Amino acid sequence: MSELEGLRIREAVRALVLDPDDRVLLVRFEFPDAGTRWALPGGGLEPGESDHDALRRELDEELGLADAEIGPHVWDRLHVIPFIDGKWDGQRERIYVVRTHAFEPTPRMSWDELHAEYLFELRWWHPHDLAGGLPVAPRQLHLHLHTLLRDGPPNRPVDVGV
């Protein structure tokens, strides 16, 4: 019997958005119980939606990045914790590389809509800035990013933990 059996796990996609200088674009969440977390942009899949379609939709809504070119699926992450008003017991994320030009994020959603999803800021970060105790998800983002930038995409997605 699987330890996840009976849990309501939300399927989601996230993007490792990188510009030509290898800066990564993160979103700042402010959760009532968990506090601040900087995370990769993305979100849950709608019924019948493919990973790529969901990711393009999320990047357009959250960042204003339309028609993103989705790269390889590089990381997986499973976080088991009750969230979204008790509707889900956790989230399984597939993380894809999205290479893009540097741009100023301009969400298509209003800030009121984004705040309702606990999202409060969008910001580019240099990889070396991620190692200094910034509350990020996944927690070891700086190490996984360093490995990816040094070695390129893995043959199979890497489990990056919570």
Side-chain angles (χ1 to χ4, degrees):
M1 179 178 275
S2 166
E3 63 189 51
L4 299 178
E5 192 171 324
L7 293 180
R8 298 160 301 161
I9 303 296
R10 180 182 189 218
E11 296 295 329
V13 289
R14 295 213 172 270
L16 179 63
V17 179
L18 297 167
D19 76 1
D21 293 327
D22 290 334
R23 293 184 309 160
V24 60
L25 187 57
L26 299 178
V27 298
R28 179 175 57 91
F29 289 101
E30 294 291 339
F31 296 110
D33 297 334
T36 300
R37 289 289 177 277
W38 286 92
L40 303 170
L45 274 72
E46 301 292 337
E49 198 171 38
S50 73
D51 282 8
H52 286 200
D53 288 343
L55 199 50
R56 282 190 190 96
R57 175 182 52 76
E58 290 285 346
L59 294 175
D60 188 36
E61 290 173 357
E62 291 181 4
L63 310 178
L65 182 59
D67 301 319
E69 189 170 320
I70 311 300
H73 173 191
V74 292
W75 300 336
D76 287 323
R77 179 174 183 262
L78 175 63
H79 192 135
V80 178
I81 184 172
F83 74 106
I84 307 184
D85 300 326
K87 183 177 177 183
W88 303 100
D89 299 313
Q91 183 161 283
R92 180 185 346 265
E93 299 170 348
R94 290 172 297 286
I95 301 164
Y96 294 82
V97 172
V98 174
R99 282 283 184 181
T100 186
H101 60 283
F103 67 97
E104 185 63 36
T106 308
R108 302 257 186 257
M109 294 175 74
S110 73
W111 279 104
D112 285 341
E113 291 171 312
L114 292 170
H115 291 170
E117 295 185 3
Y118 309 109
L119 194 157
F120 284 84
E121 187 178 352
L122 309 164
R123 181 173 164 195
W124 289 100
W125 294 85
H126 288 279
H128 62 268
D129 293 330
L130 302 177
L134 187 71
V136 294
R139 287 186 190 127
Q140 298 297 314
L141 176 60
H142 66 286
L143 296 176
H144 295 294
L145 180 57
H146 174 77
T147 300
L148 180 74
L149 293 174
R150 182 191 67 213
D151 301 342
N155 291 330
R156 282 190 307 242
V158 172
D159 180 350
V160 294
V162 296

